[in-house]
């Protein structure tokens, strides 16, 4: 992702996050980390613009995904979901979370990889009221893009300005924290898949 940021700058951020939020399974947090770190190390980009455009990309993609969910919904998902790598385990996660937790998944679910990609589509499929979806969606988009862009920016800034051993130590700790968060998020996704399978055992109906 770093080469995309270097070559295309802000466009890389907004396009990747728009696609992910629409339902294309690409790692949105990776582009934010790459852009934030690049901004911290080179100062060729502004972290505040990265945050703003990242949030805009999330909103464009998720509102489009919501609309597709409202229009096509579950039948469309079952027929074509495999083309965007949304197979039964991912569908079951979405159904499980919306059945039990409703709107909160739109905001808090942005920090879980599987939910982040498909929450908007599933919100539309489950006929979540648009005003409620919009409010939670904006909250989640602002929080998620802010956490990753600012955290990676200060990591990159620490590494680029490190001149003494204590600075290198601080930078290394920050990098470890970023990696740890990524690992935890991905483990949560796997755990959710197991819980959802227990709630909806066997194949889903078409």
């Amino acid at each position: 992702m770093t080469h995309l940021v270097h070559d295309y700058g802000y466009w890389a951020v907004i396009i990747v996050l728009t696609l992910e939020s629409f339902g294309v399974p690409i790692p949105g947090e990776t582009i934010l980390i790459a852009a934030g770190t690049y901004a911290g190390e080179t100062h060729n980009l502004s972290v505040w613009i990265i945050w703003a455009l990242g949030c805009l990309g999330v909103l464009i993609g998720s509102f489009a995904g919501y609309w597709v969910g409202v229009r096509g919904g579950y039948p469309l998902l079952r027929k074509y979901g495999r083309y965007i790598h949304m197979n039964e385990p991912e569908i079951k996660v979405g159904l499980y979370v919306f059945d039990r937790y409703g709107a909160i998944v739109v905001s808090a679910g942005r920090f879980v990889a599987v939910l982040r990609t498909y929450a908007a589509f599933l919100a539309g499929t489950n006929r979540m009221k648009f005003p409620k979806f919009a409010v939670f969606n904006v909250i989640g988009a602002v929080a998620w893009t802010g956490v990753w862009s600012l955290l990676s920016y200060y990591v990159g800034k620490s590494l680029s300005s490190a001149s003494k051993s204590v600075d290198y130590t601080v930078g290394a700790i920050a990098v470890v924290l970023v990696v740890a968060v990524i690992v935890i998020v991905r483990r949560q996704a796997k755990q959710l898949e197991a819980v959802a399978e227990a709630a909806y055992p066997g194949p889903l109906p078409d």
Side-chain angles (χ1 to χ4, degrees):
M1 289 291 184
T2 302
H3 70 281
L4 290 178
V5 174
H6 181 270
D7 293 341
Y8 301 104
Y10 300 122
W11 283 108
V13 175
I14 193 169
I15 290 172
V16 168
L17 293 184
T18 297
L19 291 174
E20 186 198 36
S21 298
F22 180 69
V24 179
I26 52 180
E29 75 274 3
T30 304
I31 196 70
L32 282 174
I33 292 170
T37 302
Y38 180 77
E41 291 177 343
T42 67
H43 303 288
N44 290 334
L45 300 177
S46 166
V47 68
W48 305 108
I49 296 178
I50 291 170
W51 186 359
L53 292 181
C55 188
L56 178 62
V58 168
L59 294 177
I60 291 172
S62 55
F63 284 132
Y66 174 88
W67 180 83
V68 171
V70 169
R71 298 288 293 180
Y74 185 79
L76 185 66
L77 184 64
R78 294 292 290 131
K79 188 173 183 179
Y80 299 108
R82 64 184 183 277
Y83 294 113
I84 57 172
H85 302 289
M86 190 171 184
N87 297 312
E88 284 201 355
E90 290 81 9
I91 296 173
K92 288 179 180 180
V93 167
L95 294 175
Y96 174 82
V97 172
F98 270 93
D99 280 349
R100 285 155 179 78
Y101 303 109
I104 194 65
V105 70
V106 175
S107 54
R110 188 150 295 281
F111 289 87
V112 179
V114 173
L115 298 182
R116 178 172 68 249
T117 305
Y118 305 116
F121 178 84
L122 291 168
T125 298
N126 286 276
R127 296 298 191 269
M128 182 176 175
K129 299 295 183 182
F130 180 76
K132 191 173 186 179
F133 168 77
V135 170
F136 279 88
N137 193 40
V138 169
I139 292 172
V142 171
W144 179 72
T145 55
V147 166
W148 283 118
S149 56
L150 292 173
L151 179 60
S152 56
Y153 171 77
Y154 286 111
V155 169
K157 191 174 181 180
S158 295
L159 292 176
S160 64
S161 63
S163 58
K164 294 181 290 187
S165 60
V166 64
D167 295 321
Y168 283 111
T169 301
V170 171
I173 292 172
V175 171
V176 170
L177 288 174
V178 171
V179 173
V181 171
I182 293 174
V183 170
I184 290 170
V185 165
R186 290 179 178 174
R187 284 183 178 176
Q188 286 177 334
K190 292 298 182 184
Q191 291 171 354
L192 272 174
E193 286 184 12
V195 172
E197 179 60 35
Y200 308 104
L204 290 169
D206 292 325

